[in-house]
Amino acid sequence: KEVTDGGKIHLEFFFDGSTSELTDHEADFSKAFESMIETQLQERRVVEFRKKLAARRRRGAAGADDGEGSAIGDEDWKTFLKSPIPATDFSIRSYREAGCMLTFLVCQTSLSVNASEVLGQIAFQEHFPIDGVAQAPSASTKPLPNWVYYMGCCTFAFTFIALYAWWQVVRQFAFIGGDGVLPPP
């Protein structure tokens, strides 16, 4: 298949660690990182292929009596199969460190626009529409950590204490009739 070129975008990927950890292992890290990017893009293409294949099979089963509908589906399928694979043009430009208290390894890369869009759809579904359709943010199914419950209890306790202290001040002046003079020390 043909490979199309649509320009490049410069991206930065952040990893835990520092540049000193890359000493004598930069080529290995670069190779593993490039392999990871290629694997993610290939998995996305496989998922898209399977989705379109399943839709074609459904159309074929539903439109077996209608010859015109299957002809249109076959044309879409042939167009999809003939569409060129987008070039990734992946290259690592440099490594640098970032962060103050925590140190991050920043991998500065350049990637084709199409590959960048696919990676954006994988990582940030709500910001990168797929086929022009905005995606809903994925809901987390994980339970809340235990510290959230303790923090909620502490917040409730301190709120109650603050309201009780203000009630004592208001009660002193409103109901008992404070004269505004502070008692002697």
Side-chain angles (χ1 to χ4, degrees):
K1 287 190 171 190
E2 293 179 33
V3 177
T4 60
D5 181 25
K8 289 186 178 183
I9 292 181
H10 299 286
L11 298 174
E12 292 185 338
F13 293 89
F14 287 71
F15 297 95
D16 288 334
S18 66
T19 54
S20 62
E21 295 174 17
L22 282 182
T23 306
D24 299 331
H25 302 292
E26 191 170 315
D28 295 334
F29 181 82
S30 298
K31 183 178 175 183
F33 182 54
E34 185 172 354
S35 174
M36 181 189 67
I37 295 291
E38 289 292 336
T39 301
Q40 290 295 318
L41 294 172
Q42 185 177 8
E43 283 180 15
R44 179 58 96 154
R45 286 191 294 267
V46 167
V47 166
E48 184 180 358
F49 175 79
R50 288 181 179 159
K51 189 166 82 171
K52 295 212 184 251
L53 180 62
R56 181 175 185 261
R57 286 181 179 163
R58 279 193 309 269
R59 237 187 336 252
D65 17 323
D66 183 19
E68 183 180 324
S70 63
I72 293 173
D74 284 342
E75 188 63 35
D76 290 342
W77 178 250
K78 288 177 184 177
T79 304
F80 173 72
L81 290 177
K82 289 180 182 178
S83 65
I85 297 172
T88 57
D89 294 335
F90 181 78
S91 64
I92 296 176
R93 296 174 49 224
S94 65
Y95 297 103
R96 67 177 180 87
E97 285 189 13
C100 292
M101 301 285 286
L102 300 174
T103 305
F104 296 103
L105 172 66
V106 180
C107 183
Q108 297 175 325
T109 64
S110 62
L111 200 60
S112 71
V113 174
N114 293 331
S116 299
E117 186 174 3
V118 170
L119 288 177
Q121 290 170 350
I122 293 170
F124 305 106
Q125 299 160 356
E126 62 272 12
H127 299 294
F128 289 85
I130 298 174
D131 295 331
V133 178
Q135 305 297 308
S138 58
S140 175
T141 58
K142 295 180 181 180
L144 290 175
N146 288 336
W147 66 266
V148 172
Y149 301 113
Y150 294 120
M151 187 61 70
C153 291
C154 288
T155 302
F156 176 76
F158 282 117
T159 302
F160 178 76
I161 291 169
L163 291 174
Y164 182 74
W166 275 105
W167 168 250
Q168 292 299 321
V169 171
V170 169
R171 187 176 65 94
Q172 177 69 29
F173 283 104
F175 299 122
I176 299 176
D179 54 2
V181 178
L182 293 174

